[in-house]
Amino acid sequence: MKYSFGNLPIAIALLSAAASVALVAQDTTAKRGVRIGLTYAPGSRPGVYVTPIRGDGGDTLRAMLQRDFDFSDRVDLLGRDGSGAADTVYSASRGMIAYQIWKSLGAAAIVQTTVTPAGVHVALHDVAASAMAQVQDFPLPPARYAPDWRFAVHGLADEILRWITGARGTSQSRVAYVRAGRVHVADSDGAADHPVTSGGLAMSPAWHPSGRYLAYGALSGWGWQIMLTDLTNSSSRAIGTPSGTNMTPTFSPDGNAVVYAHGVEDGTDLYAADAFGGSATPRRITVGRGTDNVAPTFRPDGQRIAFTSGRAGHPEIYTVDVDGSNAELLTPYNFGDESYRSSPDWSTDGRLIAYQSRVGGRFQIMTMSVRDRSVRQLTSEGENEDPSWAADSRHLVFSSTRSGAKELWVLDVETGRARQLTHGGGARLPAWSRVIDK
């Protein structure tokens, strides 16, 4: 079969040359991982092209889909090299999908999107099969560019990624963090950043599994209290122990309990409180005997907790059953060791625990395999603290000084690719939500 589309050969040559260059920022301490998918070989990423989208909001919609696909680190996006060659190929074909040409350019999937009165119509083409693989209409909020519209587009991108790779994306999620003593919330791409607390000091936000609620520590006349805020109506209330120091909360995987650190004089221990009523008396979990036991994080099945404890003489990561039994040191410890390991976060697939460890006088992000306790250092540039996993157990958000100011960065642990999430300085203590359906 012949194709005669004017300047198409030139466009193909330009696109082929551009496809050979990968322009990504990498942390050299990480290694490339293996990806699997529908119509492409294991060990490679499928090439995906998002066609131009006509109609009101089409340019913004396309840019968001491209960015979400790019940030997923699971596909190679054709047409974002700045040359315009891929768009020339599509334009020259007059909107038809010339499968053989796209196959020669390394495309595995073509995403065609059309704006409709109620939202968008999406058609996914499987290039290898030379056929349309999926068609679906998606509603979108009527107010284009508004935060709800943008968040719905993130959900659209996540579903298309599921069609292509078999695993849903995580763009439809949010990151909470602290800046200047206030809790902020931003979308996973850094957009729609806004404070959700005002006045006083707040720290250590934690997401409810639904994404509707945030728990965090807040300084009041009674000391540090655990506050629970409903993001749908901004209502807040205190939970847990009413006096002393209460900090570093986390929700249980089922969302019914909040575990936090509580202390009155010397040291803190972990306590569990009902998040939404029920028992009024918090239940003690750890017995630290005057040491600080803080920063709990649940194993996905809810049966075990990792946390930071100073019971060895300096901070290390421990695990304990949810009833307080079977406490065990997780991180390696040698007598006389002056290491500092803290701020654990358990991945959603249960395989890894991320934490910060002092290396050469600066904190770096590490992961430990729960199965064999092998340790991997993920960062080396600047000071890097307080990791939090995305729902895909592949991306981490953390606070870093690598740009010269303390900002949030996102790291793909498989490829080492890093991207800056916040700007303005002073961002710390991030927490990444699960995917939020709305």
Side-chain angles (χ1 to χ4, degrees):
M1 180 181 295
K2 289 186 177 181
Y3 297 92
S4 178
F5 296 141
N7 59 353
L8 185 56
I10 297 176
I12 291 175
L14 289 172
L15 185 58
S16 298
S20 65
V21 180
L23 300 176
V24 296
Q26 288 190 326
D27 194 308
T28 56
T29 55
K31 297 180 180 179
R32 184 170 297 277
V34 176
R35 300 164 182 83
I36 59 172
L38 267 178
T39 59
Y40 59 100
S44 65
R45 297 189 299 184
V48 175
Y49 174 64
V50 180
T51 68
I53 304 172
R54 297 176 181 175
D56 291 342
D59 289 343
T60 299
L61 179 60
R62 186 193 189 202
M64 287 188 62
L65 292 177
Q66 289 176 318
R67 185 165 58 248
D68 286 350
F69 294 161
D70 183 33
F71 287 171
S72 77
D73 293 302
R74 289 193 277 133
V75 301
D76 282 326
L77 199 60
L78 305 181
R80 294 206 72 193
D81 55 9
S83 70
D87 288 348
T88 301
V89 171
Y90 183 72
S91 177
S93 67
R94 298 175 181 86
M96 296 183 296
I97 304 301
Y99 292 111
Q100 293 304 315
I101 292 178
W102 286 107
K103 188 181 300 184
S104 70
L105 297 175
I110 307 293
V111 179
Q112 276 187 315
T113 305
T114 305
V115 175
T116 68
V120 292
H121 175 84
V122 180
L124 177 71
H125 296 263
D126 184 338
V127 175
S130 298
M132 192 176 296
Q134 189 81 25
V135 178
Q136 188 169 330
D137 289 298
F138 293 87
L140 292 176
R144 291 188 177 93
Y145 318 121
D148 285 350
W149 183 87
R150 290 181 53 86
F151 203 64
V153 173
H154 290 318
L156 169 64
D158 288 348
E159 180 62 10
I160 296 172
L161 273 172
R162 187 184 67 80
W163 294 350
I164 298 171
T165 68
R168 184 180 179 182
T170 59
S171 297
Q172 199 173 34
S173 60
R174 294 189 170 108
V175 175
Y177 69 98
V178 173
R179 173 183 281 142
R182 302 172 73 184
V183 175
H184 283 241
V185 168
D187 288 352
S188 63
D189 60 355
D193 190 325
H194 63 284
V196 295
T197 63
S198 59
L201 294 175
M203 64 181 294
S204 303
W207 286 98
H208 187 268
S210 69
R212 176 175 174 174
Y213 306 95
L214 276 177
Y216 52 92
L219 185 60
S220 69
W222 298 91
W224 284 97
Q225 298 292 295
I226 302 300
M227 301 298 296
L228 182 68
T229 292
D230 186 336
L231 296 178
T232 64
N233 57 24
S234 299
S235 62
S236 298
R237 61 182 177 86
I239 61 174
T241 314
S243 61
T245 297
N246 303 277
M247 56 186 181
T248 62
T250 191
F251 282 95
S252 59
D254 63 9
N256 293 328
V258 173
V259 173
Y260 60 99
H262 166 70
V264 177
E265 294 181 355
D266 294 330
T268 57
D269 275 299
L270 301 185
Y271 283 74
D274 287 337
F276 304 101
S279 174
T281 304
R283 174 178 59 84
R284 188 172 183 171
I285 298 175
T286 63
V287 181
R289 297 180 175 85
T291 62
D292 285 323
N293 299 269
V294 298
T297 176
F298 274 88
R299 193 169 69 186
D301 64 3
Q303 298 304 303
R304 200 157 174 84
I305 298 170
F307 62 102
T308 304
S309 178
R311 63 187 66 184
H314 56 267
E316 295 286 353
I317 309 300
Y318 287 75
T319 61
V320 66
D321 286 348
V322 72
D323 64 359
S325 62
N326 299 317
E328 181 180 8
L329 176 65
L330 182 71
T331 45
Y333 169 70
N334 298 311
F335 182 76
D337 190 357
E338 296 183 358
S339 61
Y340 194 117
R341 304 177 178 105
S342 59
S343 301
D345 193 47
W346 215 312
S347 66
T348 56
D349 62 8
R351 297 186 305 108
L352 298 171
I353 293 177
Y355 59 96
Q356 64 185 34
S357 177
R358 191 162 57 196
V359 179
R362 297 192 299 183
F363 281 113
Q364 303 297 339
I365 304 301
M366 321 289 282
T367 59
M368 173 176 284
S369 167
V370 177
R371 181 179 60 83
D372 61 11
R373 301 201 178 185
S374 59
V375 175
R376 180 183 173 198
Q377 182 175 336
L378 298 180
T379 62
S380 57
E381 181 183 357
E383 186 127 2
N384 303 275
E385 302 172 290
D386 298 309
S388 177
W389 288 102
D392 59 7
S393 297
R394 170 173 179 154
H395 291 88
L396 283 167
V397 63
F398 55 95
S399 176
S400 178
T401 62
R402 62 183 63 194
S403 65
K406 187 166 285 191
E407 300 288 0
L408 300 189
W409 285 72
V410 173
L411 178 71
D412 174 19
V413 301
E414 291 194 16
T415 66
R417 183 190 185 194
R419 62 179 173 90
Q420 188 171 339
L421 184 68
T422 63
H423 299 80
R428 61 194 188 99
L429 299 171
W432 205 328
S433 77
R434 303 285 77 88
V435 173
I436 302 171
D437 293 310
K438 59 179 298 183

